[in-house]
Amino acid sequence: MTDVYTLGAALGVVSSGRIRHDSEARLDVCGPEFTLAIGLSRLGHSAAFLGKVGADELGMRVRSILRGEGVDIADMRVDESATTGLLLKESRVGFAPQTSYYHAGSAGCRLSPGNVPIDRIAASRMLHVTGLTAALGRDALEAVRAAVGAAHTADVMISFSVAYRAELWNSVREAEEVLGELACASHLLFVHQDELDLVKPALTAEREVVVNRGQKGASVRADRMRYDAPVFSVPVVDPSGAEEAFAAGYISGALDGLTPPERLQRGAQLSAAATTSASEWQALPVRSDLFSFTAR
C-alpha cells in the first residue's frame, strides 16, 4: 500500500538575479507535489507521483530525480508531442521574488482524467492534490477531480493544499469556485492565511485545517481544538518551497500517528529546511536529521 499518492505538474525552473541583465542562471526542477513526494520519501514514507513530462531533457531530469529519491513514478507519462513546462524566477535583494510561468501547451497541462489510476489511489492511505494543478487547465482540473472522486469512493483520506497563484486563474471568482469545491472535498486542508477567504465554506469544525501564518508560524484546528507552532529561525536563501515542505512534514507526522502539535513541529522543521537552499527540495531532511534540527 502506498502511503501518499499525488499528482501534478513538475517543471524546470531557471533562477537568476535581474534576468534582463544577469549572464548566469541556475537550473532546477520544481512543483508543489514534486517537493511533497520527495519530502515524504526522504522521511521513509512511500510516495507515488503521477504527472506528464515532455520527451526532452527537462522531462528526463524530472524522472531521474524522482526515481533517485525513491518516489514511485510507475504512472508517469511521457508526452512525445509536448515540452516540459518552465518557470523563470527572478530574485533580487530587497525585492519580492518575481516568477513567470511558461505552462501553456506543456505536457504537465495535458494530464487528463484518463491518466488517473483509480485502483492505485484506492489502495493508498492518502491522496494529496493542490490548487496549482487544478489551475493549469480543464484537463488538469478534471484529472484532479477524478483523483478526488476515486479517493472519496474508496474512503481514502484526501489532503488539499490551496496553493493559489493568481496569474494562473481567469478570475478570483473562478478560483473561489474550484478551490472551494476541492477544499470541501478534503479531510485535511492546508491554507495560507491570505487564502482563507477563497475557501470559506470549507472552514468547518469537522475538517482538519492547517493555516500558514507566515512569520507568525502555523496553526491547526483539529478535534475542535486549536494548536500553534512558531517558525524555526534559520538563514533564509529562498522561501519558495516552504509551504509544500511544511505539508510534507505535517502529513509525515499524521502518518506516524503524532499529535497535532507534533505534526506542526515536523511541518515547521521541513519548511525551515527547505528555505535554506536555492532549491525547493534539495535541503529537505532525512528522518535521522529531524532530532538534530529540533535541537538547534
Side-chain angles (χ1 to χ4, degrees), residues 19 86-90 98-102 167:
I19 290 176
L86 189 67
L87 171 69
L88 289 185
K89 183 189 299 182
E90 181 177 281
Q98 300 294 316
T99 56
S100 300
Y101 287 92
Y102 293 85
E167 62 269 33

Side-chain angles (χ1 to χ4, degrees), residues 77-163:
R77 299 289 182 266
V78 176
D79 191 326
E80 300 281 349
S81 62
T83 58
T84 305
L86 189 67
L87 171 69
L88 289 185
K89 183 189 299 182
E90 181 177 281
S91 300
R92 292 189 287 157
V93 176
F95 293 83
Q98 300 294 316
T99 56
S100 300
Y101 287 92
Y102 293 85
H103 265 312
S106 69
C109 295
R110 296 184 178 186
L111 190 66
S112 68
N115 301 133
V116 177
I118 305 301
D119 56 339
R120 296 213 54 202
I121 292 174
S124 301
R125 294 176 64 185
M126 181 184 294
L127 169 74
H128 180 79
V129 293
T130 76
L132 192 150
T133 297
L136 295 181
R138 176 56 58 182
D139 285 347
L141 172 58
E142 292 306 321
V144 171
R145 283 173 168 158
V148 168
H152 178 75
T153 299
D155 290 324
V156 171
M157 187 175 185
I158 301 168
S159 168
F160 176 60
S161 290
V162 176

Side-chain angles (χ1 to χ4, degrees), residues 10 23 33 43 50 103-104 110-111 165 175 231 237 259-260 270 285:
S23 58
E33 300 90 350
L43 294 179
L50 165 65
H103 265 312
R110 296 184 178 186
L111 190 66
R165 304 293 185 270
V231 296
V237 175
T259 64
L270 264 69

